[in-house]
Amino acid sequence: NGMTHLISEVLTKGTNHRSSLDIANQIENMAGSLSGYAGRNLVGLKGSFLAEKLEEGIGLFTDVLCNPSFEADEVKKEIQHTLSALRDQEDLPARLAMQVFVRKLFPNHPYRMTLLGTRQSIRHLTAKQISRSYRNWVRPDNLVISVVGDMRAEEVRDIFAEKLQFPNGKGRRLPR
């Protein structure tokens, strides 16, 4: 409970090849954006880049997607931010009412859980646990990539085919 939220928040905070600052600077230099997102049954990465920065943007995107470092200090910081957000929610009656409603609506289903998790569920999570969960979920056979914009599909496919490399050393064969 809360794992996908933590993953989405820490995902862009460093890779095996780039620091958090390197990622932020590269995104800024491309006039782009890159962020993680999470839902009740998904975790993902979204980016926006100018068409003339397509190859560089996809390079950064695939590095973050395939090689997140999940550094312990970044995970600890995000856990503290999440604990603070959970405390803030206690002051929002509408949020509390929605949580009660969802628990009643889905009493025996994972949807009853909140996206942020609970103090108990996230307080003791470690970078190692977060990395292991990410590696279990985000893999070539469990991945959807969607691209929208003014570009040629073949060019996008070819760039992804070249740059999409997972840590096991195997690239992702993309359909034609």
Side-chain angles (χ1 to χ4, degrees), residues 140-169:
D141 63 328
N142 198 24
L143 186 65
V144 174
I145 297 175
S146 176
V147 180
V148 177
D150 183 21
M151 61 205 74
R152 291 183 18 256
E154 299 81 19
E155 179 184 14
V156 172
R157 186 191 61 238
D158 291 347
I159 295 170
F160 267 108
E162 175 192 335
K163 299 199 179 285
L164 196 58
Q165 298 291 320
F166 283 81
N168 63 7

Side-chain angles (χ1 to χ4, degrees), residues 85-99:
L86 287 168
R87 278 190 300 276
D88 292 346
Q89 283 186 356
E90 293 171 1
D91 294 333
L92 302 170
R95 174 67 86 179
L96 293 174
M98 182 57 89
Q99 288 173 357

Side-chain angles (χ1 to χ4, degrees), residues 2-79:
M3 180 72 77
T4 57
H5 167 75
L6 286 173
I7 288 171
S8 72
E9 294 298 318
V10 182
L11 190 55
T12 60
K13 303 289 195 240
T15 73
N16 299 335
H17 309 104
R18 293 174 170 91
S19 70
S20 180
L21 184 59
D22 292 338
I23 293 169
N25 286 336
Q26 189 172 358
I27 290 168
E28 184 177 323
N29 290 336
M30 289 189 291
S33 66
L34 188 66
S35 61
Y37 63 92
R40 294 201 181 280
N41 57 359
L42 62 90
V43 64
L45 181 65
K46 61 183 172 183
S48 177
F49 311 100
L50 299 173
E52 60 261 18
K53 299 288 187 175
L54 180 65
E55 188 163 354
E56 183 181 358
I58 291 175
L60 177 60
F61 182 93
T62 55
D63 186 30
V64 169
L65 178 70
C66 298
N67 303 299
S69 59
F70 297 114
E71 294 179 20
D73 289 343
E74 294 292 346
V75 170
K76 287 177 187 174
K77 280 188 233 176
E78 192 51 46
I79 287 172

